[in-house]
Amino acid sequence: MQVMVLRNEVIINVKDDMVMEKYQKHGINPLLISMASGQDIASVSPRPTVAMLPGKYPKLVYKHIKELNSEFAENIFRLTCGKCGKNGDYDLGTLAIPVITGEGTRATDKFQAVGYFRCKHCNAAGDWNLSPTIQTMLAGKLAAAVIKQTIETEASSDIVLGQVLIDNDFTPRWGSDAEDYFLEKLGKNPENAYLWNRLGNIYYKGKRPELAVTAYEQALARDAGQVESMFSLGRILADCGYLETAAEYLRQAVAFAHQYNLLTAHDLRELIVSALTILLAIYNKTDHEIDMLPTPNELAIAQFANSEIAATVQLDFEINPGRCETLYPLAEVYMGARRDELPPAERKTPIPRRKVAWPLPGKVNKQKPPKKNKNKKR
Ligand SMILES: [Zn+2]
């Protein structure tokens, strides 16, 4: 009997290995596993699999990688690895080329690939050679994109004119260069949740959502108020169909937004509107079973002021699912004090229906004095 059990285990392991082999299609940086899990790099497999990624969601999200990536461009080209010399077909994702390429420089020397991929044979990244045939093909494709974009105002999505710039300073040639940039920064500052969030964005745009969620989960483990990571996790999980969990993250993003300072007021409002748009869709899709708006309890956890919680409960907005601008006044309520940073012309004053609920009369009176204070300072 025991032998039988052992045999079964062996069979199961073989099956797992087969699944893992399939996972290795895209390649994962051992350094990411080491930094996210705290394991010494020497003890991490040189060719990690999705199963080795720490966190709740990488494996779940990996199952949906095709649907998740359908919004991104596909540019498959044969490249030769500079490390091992072997060829492979890789999806370079969105390609960016500078608007003006200098005389004598070929566009193929200047392009940037946003896709994240590593060598299928040796798991190296960033050292790629393009054969002359591929260079010609690519040059043709890029030239076509340039002509298309100068004629049409609508940008073609698989090739964009412009430059990918990180921190106004660094121009990554490949998605893996952008990863290196953030992993190096995280090496010096591993607890920085914002850096983890930005690394997640690099993976997401690089068509690697399973790596993106790994990074977003790391961000949230370090800062429970990392609103951008909450939103991104929620959006990805919603796209995978995990509506309940997605809605929890999205409601959290809305509830915590008022204390998030790493986005401008304008961008923060955009994020809240996007979160509310997805939440509204989930709410309708589930016949109102999943809450759209943060519950008073969720708001309290996010230290949303009591008076403002009361205000949100009493609000009765007219929301038109087809017009996202109807969500702006609601989004501004959830911005809390950061709402005041919006330029007056941009601000959509909340329209209270029935009883006046917002702004609270008490608040309005309290807001009047600052004018006098300003004069006093001078
Ligand atoms: Zn290689």
mmCIF file of all heavy atoms in Angstrom, residues 189-227:
data_model
loop_
_atom_site.group_PDB
_atom_site.id
_atom_site.type_symbol
_atom_site.label_atom_id
_atom_site.label_comp_id
_atom_site.label_asym_id
_atom_site.label_seq_id
_atom_site.Cartn_x
_atom_site.Cartn_y
_atom_site.Cartn_z
ATOM 1 N N ASN A 189 16.325 49.728 -0.965
ATOM 2 C CA ASN A 189 15.182 50.179 -0.183
ATOM 3 C C ASN A 189 14.025 49.173 -0.300
ATOM 4 O O ASN A 189 12.985 49.482 -0.866
ATOM 5 C CB ASN A 189 14.759 51.556 -0.754
ATOM 6 C CG ASN A 189 13.956 52.347 0.233
ATOM 7 O OD1 ASN A 189 13.587 51.832 1.302
ATOM 8 N ND2 ASN A 189 13.647 53.584 -0.114
ATOM 9 N N PRO A 190 14.258 47.949 0.222
ATOM 10 C CA PRO A 190 13.295 46.861 -0.034
ATOM 11 C C PRO A 190 11.903 47.093 0.560
ATOM 12 O O PRO A 190 10.949 46.450 0.139
ATOM 13 C CB PRO A 190 13.960 45.627 0.588
ATOM 14 C CG PRO A 190 14.984 46.162 1.528
ATOM 15 C CD PRO A 190 15.397 47.496 1.024
ATOM 16 N N GLU A 191 11.794 47.990 1.537
ATOM 17 C CA GLU A 191 10.489 48.202 2.181
ATOM 18 C C GLU A 191 9.668 49.286 1.501
ATOM 19 O O GLU A 191 8.591 49.640 1.973
ATOM 20 C CB GLU A 191 10.683 48.561 3.662
ATOM 21 C CG GLU A 191 11.316 47.459 4.499
ATOM 22 C CD GLU A 191 10.554 46.149 4.380
ATOM 23 O OE1 GLU A 191 9.320 46.158 4.561
ATOM 24 O OE2 GLU A 191 11.194 45.114 4.095
ATOM 25 N N ASN A 192 10.161 49.841 0.404
ATOM 26 C CA ASN A 192 9.459 50.936 -0.260
ATOM 27 C C ASN A 192 8.295 50.400 -1.108
ATOM 28 O O ASN A 192 8.491 49.873 -2.210
ATOM 29 C CB ASN A 192 10.450 51.732 -1.116
ATOM 30 C CG ASN A 192 9.831 52.994 -1.673
ATOM 31 O OD1 ASN A 192 8.681 52.986 -2.128
ATOM 32 N ND2 ASN A 192 10.571 54.086 -1.643
ATOM 33 N N ALA A 193 7.083 50.537 -0.574
ATOM 34 C CA ALA A 193 5.890 49.983 -1.231
ATOM 35 C C ALA A 193 5.645 50.619 -2.601
ATOM 36 O O ALA A 193 5.178 49.958 -3.531
ATOM 37 C CB ALA A 193 4.670 50.194 -0.329
ATOM 38 N N TYR A 194 5.970 51.895 -2.721
ATOM 39 C CA TYR A 194 5.733 52.598 -3.986
ATOM 40 C C TYR A 194 6.618 52.024 -5.097
ATOM 41 O O TYR A 194 6.179 51.860 -6.238
ATOM 42 C CB TYR A 194 5.994 54.095 -3.783
ATOM 43 C CG TYR A 194 5.681 54.955 -4.985
ATOM 44 C CD1 TYR A 194 4.424 54.909 -5.590
ATOM 45 C CD2 TYR A 194 6.631 55.808 -5.525
ATOM 46 C CE1 TYR A 194 4.133 55.693 -6.704
ATOM 47 C CE2 TYR A 194 6.341 56.602 -6.628
ATOM 48 C CZ TYR A 194 5.092 56.537 -7.215
ATOM 49 O OH TYR A 194 4.805 57.314 -8.310
ATOM 50 N N LEU A 195 7.865 51.688 -4.751
ATOM 51 C CA LEU A 195 8.754 51.069 -5.742
ATOM 52 C C LEU A 195 8.212 49.706 -6.171
ATOM 53 O O LEU A 195 8.240 49.358 -7.347
ATOM 54 C CB LEU A 195 10.171 50.917 -5.179
ATOM 55 C CG LEU A 195 11.009 52.196 -5.045
ATOM 56 C CD1 LEU A 195 12.339 51.885 -4.350
ATOM 57 C CD2 LEU A 195 11.274 52.820 -6.423
ATOM 58 N N TRP A 196 7.697 48.947 -5.237
ATOM 59 C CA TRP A 196 7.084 47.649 -5.574
ATOM 60 C C TRP A 196 5.892 47.858 -6.499
ATOM 61 O O TRP A 196 5.676 47.109 -7.444
ATOM 62 C CB TRP A 196 6.637 46.902 -4.308
ATOM 63 C CG TRP A 196 7.741 46.168 -3.604
ATOM 64 C CD1 TRP A 196 8.324 46.517 -2.418
ATOM 65 C CD2 TRP A 196 8.399 44.968 -4.035
ATOM 66 N NE1 TRP A 196 9.307 45.616 -2.088
ATOM 67 C CE2 TRP A 196 9.365 44.649 -3.056
ATOM 68 C CE3 TRP A 196 8.275 44.135 -5.146
ATOM 69 C CZ2 TRP A 196 10.196 43.530 -3.155
ATOM 70 C CZ3 TRP A 196 9.099 43.013 -5.255
ATOM 71 C CH2 TRP A 196 10.047 42.722 -4.270
ATOM 72 N N ASN A 197 5.111 48.893 -6.204
ATOM 73 C CA ASN A 197 3.952 49.180 -7.049
ATOM 74 C C ASN A 197 4.380 49.501 -8.482
ATOM 75 O O ASN A 197 3.797 49.018 -9.451
ATOM 76 C CB ASN A 197 3.162 50.351 -6.457
ATOM 77 C CG ASN A 197 2.027 50.772 -7.365
ATOM 78 O OD1 ASN A 197 1.049 50.041 -7.524
ATOM 79 N ND2 ASN A 197 2.168 51.907 -8.013
ATOM 80 N N ARG A 198 5.419 50.294 -8.593
ATOM 81 C CA ARG A 198 5.885 50.689 -9.935
ATOM 82 C C ARG A 198 6.494 49.501 -10.677
ATOM 83 O O ARG A 198 6.332 49.367 -11.892
ATOM 84 C CB ARG A 198 6.878 51.844 -9.813
ATOM 85 C CG ARG A 198 6.207 53.115 -9.280
ATOM 86 C CD ARG A 198 7.164 54.264 -9.177
ATOM 87 N NE ARG A 198 7.549 54.749 -10.498
ATOM 88 C CZ ARG A 198 8.610 55.539 -10.707
ATOM 89 N NH1 ARG A 198 9.364 55.904 -9.693
ATOM 90 N NH2 ARG A 198 8.902 55.956 -11.912
ATOM 91 N N LEU A 199 7.175 48.630 -9.949
ATOM 92 C CA LEU A 199 7.686 47.404 -10.566
ATOM 93 C C LEU A 199 6.513 46.576 -11.108
ATOM 94 O O LEU A 199 6.570 46.035 -12.219
ATOM 95 C CB LEU A 199 8.493 46.600 -9.531
ATOM 96 C CG LEU A 199 9.026 45.248 -10.005
ATOM 97 C CD1 LEU A 199 10.040 45.426 -11.141
ATOM 98 C CD2 LEU A 199 9.680 44.471 -8.846
ATOM 99 N N GLY A 200 5.445 46.524 -10.311
ATOM 100 C CA GLY A 200 4.239 45.809 -10.759
ATOM 101 C C GLY A 200 3.700 46.369 -12.070
ATOM 102 O O GLY A 200 3.315 45.625 -12.971
ATOM 103 N N ASN A 201 3.712 47.695 -12.187
ATOM 104 C CA ASN A 201 3.221 48.328 -13.427
ATOM 105 C C ASN A 201 4.085 47.955 -14.633
ATOM 106 O O ASN A 201 3.565 47.785 -15.743
ATOM 107 C CB ASN A 201 3.197 49.855 -13.271
ATOM 108 C CG ASN A 201 2.190 50.314 -12.230
ATOM 109 O OD1 ASN A 201 1.311 49.556 -11.831
ATOM 110 N ND2 ASN A 201 2.328 51.546 -11.780
ATOM 111 N N ILE A 202 5.394 47.832 -14.406
ATOM 112 C CA ILE A 202 6.314 47.438 -15.487
ATOM 113 C C ILE A 202 5.942 46.030 -15.982
ATOM 114 O O ILE A 202 5.855 45.776 -17.182
ATOM 115 C CB ILE A 202 7.780 47.455 -14.970
ATOM 116 C CG1 ILE A 202 8.227 48.887 -14.667
ATOM 117 C CG2 ILE A 202 8.723 46.758 -15.947
ATOM 118 C CD1 ILE A 202 8.323 49.805 -15.870
ATOM 119 N N TYR A 203 5.699 45.130 -15.044
ATOM 120 C CA TYR A 203 5.330 43.757 -15.415
ATOM 121 C C TYR A 203 3.967 43.731 -16.108
ATOM 122 O O TYR A 203 3.760 42.996 -17.062
ATOM 123 C CB TYR A 203 5.259 42.861 -14.174
ATOM 124 C CG TYR A 203 6.594 42.534 -13.544
ATOM 125 C CD1 TYR A 203 6.742 42.572 -12.158
ATOM 126 C CD2 TYR A 203 7.686 42.155 -14.323
ATOM 127 C CE1 TYR A 203 7.962 42.247 -11.564
ATOM 128 C CE2 TYR A 203 8.903 41.832 -13.727
ATOM 129 C CZ TYR A 203 9.030 41.880 -12.346
ATOM 130 O OH TYR A 203 10.225 41.562 -11.754
ATOM 131 N N TYR A 204 3.042 44.524 -15.589
ATOM 132 C CA TYR A 204 1.681 44.509 -16.165
ATOM 133 C C TYR A 204 1.719 44.963 -17.620
ATOM 134 O O TYR A 204 1.175 44.308 -18.501
ATOM 135 C CB TYR A 204 0.758 45.413 -15.337
ATOM 136 C CG TYR A 204 -0.667 45.397 -15.821
ATOM 137 C CD1 TYR A 204 -1.433 44.234 -15.705
ATOM 138 C CD2 TYR A 204 -1.241 46.519 -16.407
ATOM 139 C CE1 TYR A 204 -2.741 44.200 -16.176
ATOM 140 C CE2 TYR A 204 -2.548 46.490 -16.871
ATOM 141 C CZ TYR A 204 -3.284 45.329 -16.747
ATOM 142 O OH TYR A 204 -4.580 45.296 -17.225
ATOM 143 N N LYS A 205 2.412 46.081 -17.875
ATOM 144 C CA LYS A 205 2.527 46.568 -19.253
ATOM 145 C C LYS A 205 3.410 45.652 -20.088
ATOM 146 O O LYS A 205 3.303 45.637 -21.312
ATOM 147 C CB LYS A 205 3.084 47.995 -19.263
ATOM 148 C CG LYS A 205 2.061 49.000 -18.775
ATOM 149 C CD LYS A 205 2.664 50.394 -18.713
ATOM 150 C CE LYS A 205 1.759 51.333 -17.948
ATOM 151 N NZ LYS A 205 2.523 52.386 -17.265
ATOM 152 N N GLY A 206 4.285 44.912 -19.428
ATOM 153 C CA GLY A 206 5.141 43.958 -20.113
ATOM 154 C C GLY A 206 4.435 42.639 -20.386
ATOM 155 O O GLY A 206 5.077 41.667 -20.761
ATOM 156 N N LYS A 207 3.126 42.598 -20.159
ATOM 157 C CA LYS A 207 2.275 41.429 -20.416
ATOM 158 C C LYS A 207 2.598 40.254 -19.495
ATOM 159 O O LYS A 207 2.532 39.093 -19.909
ATOM 160 C CB LYS A 207 2.367 41.025 -21.898
ATOM 161 C CG LYS A 207 1.985 42.154 -22.849
ATOM 162 C CD LYS A 207 2.135 41.794 -24.295
ATOM 163 C CE LYS A 207 1.019 40.917 -24.806
ATOM 164 N NZ LYS A 207 1.044 40.776 -26.280
ATOM 165 N N ARG A 208 2.955 40.575 -18.265
ATOM 166 C CA ARG A 208 3.227 39.532 -17.278
ATOM 167 C C ARG A 208 2.408 39.790 -16.014
ATOM 168 O O ARG A 208 2.948 40.123 -14.958
ATOM 169 C CB ARG A 208 4.732 39.495 -16.959
ATOM 170 C CG ARG A 208 5.597 39.213 -18.187
ATOM 171 C CD ARG A 208 5.322 37.841 -18.792
ATOM 172 N NE ARG A 208 5.603 36.797 -17.826
ATOM 173 C CZ ARG A 208 6.822 36.286 -17.612
ATOM 174 N NH1 ARG A 208 7.834 36.696 -18.317
ATOM 175 N NH2 ARG A 208 6.994 35.342 -16.705
ATOM 176 N N PRO A 209 1.083 39.631 -16.121
ATOM 177 C CA PRO A 209 0.228 39.967 -14.969
ATOM 178 C C PRO A 209 0.512 39.127 -13.727
ATOM 179 O O PRO A 209 0.301 39.599 -12.616
ATOM 180 C CB PRO A 209 -1.191 39.704 -15.501
ATOM 181 C CG PRO A 209 -1.020 38.777 -16.660
ATOM 182 C CD PRO A 209 0.313 39.144 -17.275
ATOM 183 N N GLU A 210 1.026 37.897 -13.943
ATOM 184 C CA GLU A 210 1.313 37.051 -12.766
ATOM 185 C C GLU A 210 2.483 37.629 -11.965
ATOM 186 O O GLU A 210 2.532 37.508 -10.742
ATOM 187 C CB GLU A 210 1.552 35.594 -13.197
ATOM 188 C CG GLU A 210 2.925 35.261 -13.766
ATOM 189 C CD GLU A 210 3.139 35.704 -15.217
ATOM 190 O OE1 GLU A 210 2.450 36.628 -15.684
ATOM 191 O OE2 GLU A 210 4.051 35.147 -15.865
ATOM 192 N N LEU A 211 3.420 38.281 -12.657
ATOM 193 C CA LEU A 211 4.526 38.938 -11.947
ATOM 194 C C LEU A 211 4.037 40.256 -11.351
ATOM 195 O O LEU A 211 4.456 40.658 -10.264
ATOM 196 C CB LEU A 211 5.697 39.203 -12.901
ATOM 197 C CG LEU A 211 6.298 37.990 -13.612
ATOM 198 C CD1 LEU A 211 7.482 38.416 -14.479
ATOM 199 C CD2 LEU A 211 6.743 36.931 -12.621
ATOM 200 N N ALA A 212 3.138 40.914 -12.080
ATOM 201 C CA ALA A 212 2.594 42.183 -11.589
ATOM 202 C C ALA A 212 1.903 41.983 -10.242
ATOM 203 O O ALA A 212 2.164 42.735 -9.292
ATOM 204 C CB ALA A 212 1.622 42.768 -12.618
ATOM 205 N N VAL A 213 1.041 40.968 -10.155
ATOM 206 C CA VAL A 213 0.321 40.788 -8.874
ATOM 207 C C VAL A 213 1.282 40.413 -7.752
ATOM 208 O O VAL A 213 1.070 40.799 -6.597
ATOM 209 C CB VAL A 213 -0.862 39.779 -8.968
ATOM 210 C CG1 VAL A 213 -1.950 40.319 -9.880
ATOM 211 C CG2 VAL A 213 -0.422 38.395 -9.392
ATOM 212 N N THR A 214 2.357 39.706 -8.088
ATOM 213 C CA THR A 214 3.382 39.397 -7.071
ATOM 214 C C THR A 214 3.903 40.712 -6.486
ATOM 215 O O THR A 214 3.982 40.872 -5.269
ATOM 216 C CB THR A 214 4.557 38.621 -7.709
ATOM 217 O OG1 THR A 214 4.054 37.448 -8.331
ATOM 218 C CG2 THR A 214 5.593 38.240 -6.668
ATOM 219 N N ALA A 215 4.250 41.644 -7.367
ATOM 220 C CA ALA A 215 4.807 42.922 -6.911
ATOM 221 C C ALA A 215 3.753 43.747 -6.155
ATOM 222 O O ALA A 215 4.055 44.356 -5.126
ATOM 223 C CB ALA A 215 5.352 43.709 -8.087
ATOM 224 N N TYR A 216 2.507 43.756 -6.645
ATOM 225 C CA TYR A 216 1.451 44.522 -5.964
ATOM 226 C C TYR A 216 1.205 43.949 -4.551
ATOM 227 O O TYR A 216 0.986 44.697 -3.604
ATOM 228 C CB TYR A 216 0.150 44.492 -6.762
ATOM 229 C CG TYR A 216 0.225 45.208 -8.095
ATOM 230 C CD1 TYR A 216 -0.406 44.682 -9.225
ATOM 231 C CD2 TYR A 216 0.914 46.411 -8.237
ATOM 232 C CE1 TYR A 216 -0.346 45.328 -10.461
ATOM 233 C CE2 TYR A 216 0.980 47.065 -9.459
ATOM 234 C CZ TYR A 216 0.348 46.520 -10.564
ATOM 235 O OH TYR A 216 0.416 47.159 -11.777
ATOM 236 N N GLU A 217 1.221 42.621 -4.444
ATOM 237 C CA GLU A 217 1.026 42.029 -3.114
ATOM 238 C C GLU A 217 2.170 42.408 -2.178
ATOM 239 O O GLU A 217 1.963 42.630 -0.983
ATOM 240 C CB GLU A 217 0.904 40.505 -3.215
ATOM 241 C CG GLU A 217 -0.455 40.043 -3.724
ATOM 242 C CD GLU A 217 -0.632 38.537 -3.590
ATOM 243 O OE1 GLU A 217 -0.784 38.056 -2.457
ATOM 244 O OE2 GLU A 217 -0.620 37.850 -4.632
ATOM 245 N N GLN A 218 3.387 42.464 -2.736
ATOM 246 C CA GLN A 218 4.534 42.900 -1.932
ATOM 247 C C GLN A 218 4.341 44.345 -1.468
ATOM 248 O O GLN A 218 4.631 44.686 -0.327
ATOM 249 C CB GLN A 218 5.827 42.806 -2.760
ATOM 250 C CG GLN A 218 6.266 41.386 -3.062
ATOM 251 C CD GLN A 218 6.584 40.599 -1.817
ATOM 252 O OE1 GLN A 218 7.242 41.098 -0.908
ATOM 253 N NE2 GLN A 218 6.102 39.383 -1.752
ATOM 254 N N ALA A 219 3.835 45.185 -2.365
ATOM 255 C CA ALA A 219 3.597 46.586 -2.014
ATOM 256 C C ALA A 219 2.618 46.676 -0.846
ATOM 257 O O ALA A 219 2.847 47.392 0.127
ATOM 258 C CB ALA A 219 3.067 47.346 -3.224
ATOM 259 N N LEU A 220 1.533 45.900 -0.928
ATOM 260 C CA LEU A 220 0.505 45.973 0.118
ATOM 261 C C LEU A 220 0.963 45.350 1.433
ATOM 262 O O LEU A 220 0.522 45.760 2.501
ATOM 263 C CB LEU A 220 -0.788 45.309 -0.370
ATOM 264 C CG LEU A 220 -1.531 46.139 -1.425
ATOM 265 C CD1 LEU A 220 -2.691 45.355 -2.016
ATOM 266 C CD2 LEU A 220 -2.040 47.448 -0.815
ATOM 267 N N ALA A 221 1.868 44.380 1.341
ATOM 268 C CA ALA A 221 2.403 43.788 2.578
ATOM 269 C C ALA A 221 3.231 44.830 3.328
ATOM 270 O O ALA A 221 3.348 44.778 4.544
ATOM 271 C CB ALA A 221 3.262 42.569 2.245
ATOM 272 N N ARG A 222 3.785 45.786 2.595
ATOM 273 C CA ARG A 222 4.651 46.803 3.213
ATOM 274 C C ARG A 222 3.901 48.075 3.565
ATOM 275 O O ARG A 222 4.314 48.829 4.435
ATOM 276 C CB ARG A 222 5.821 47.109 2.294
ATOM 277 C CG ARG A 222 6.846 45.990 2.311
ATOM 278 C CD ARG A 222 7.741 46.001 1.109
ATOM 279 N NE ARG A 222 8.765 44.975 1.215
ATOM 280 C CZ ARG A 222 8.586 43.710 0.853
ATOM 281 N NH1 ARG A 222 7.429 43.313 0.356
ATOM 282 N NH2 ARG A 222 9.549 42.824 1.001
ATOM 283 N N ASP A 223 2.816 48.332 2.839
ATOM 284 C CA ASP A 223 2.000 49.519 3.115
ATOM 285 C C ASP A 223 0.545 49.193 2.784
ATOM 286 O O ASP A 223 0.164 49.123 1.617
ATOM 287 C CB ASP A 223 2.501 50.696 2.263
ATOM 288 C CG ASP A 223 1.627 51.945 2.429
ATOM 289 O OD1 ASP A 223 0.713 51.924 3.293
ATOM 290 O OD2 ASP A 223 1.855 52.922 1.695
ATOM 291 N N ALA A 224 -0.240 48.995 3.841
ATOM 292 C CA ALA A 224 -1.648 48.606 3.656
ATOM 293 C C ALA A 224 -2.453 49.718 2.987
ATOM 294 O O ALA A 224 -3.595 49.505 2.596
ATOM 295 C CB ALA A 224 -2.264 48.241 4.998
ATOM 296 N N GLY A 225 -1.844 50.899 2.841
ATOM 297 C CA GLY A 225 -2.548 52.021 2.204
ATOM 298 C C GLY A 225 -2.007 52.311 0.803
ATOM 299 O O GLY A 225 -2.168 53.430 0.322
ATOM 300 N N GLN A 226 -1.370 51.337 0.162
ATOM 301 C CA GLN A 226 -0.840 51.555 -1.193
ATOM 302 C C GLN A 226 -2.023 51.478 -2.179
ATOM 303 O O GLN A 226 -2.331 50.413 -2.747
ATOM 304 C CB GLN A 226 0.221 50.504 -1.541
ATOM 305 C CG GLN A 226 1.429 51.029 -2.292
ATOM 306 C CD GLN A 226 1.151 51.958 -3.458
ATOM 307 O OE1 GLN A 226 0.238 51.767 -4.245
ATOM 308 N NE2 GLN A 226 1.958 53.000 -3.574
ATOM 309 N N VAL A 227 -2.649 52.611 -2.378
ATOM 310 C CA VAL A 227 -3.909 52.677 -3.116
ATOM 311 C C VAL A 227 -3.759 52.206 -4.576
ATOM 312 O O VAL A 227 -4.622 51.508 -5.106
ATOM 313 C CB VAL A 227 -4.464 54.117 -3.051
ATOM 314 C CG1 VAL A 227 -5.548 54.357 -4.082
ATOM 315 C CG2 VAL A 227 -5.004 54.387 -1.647
#
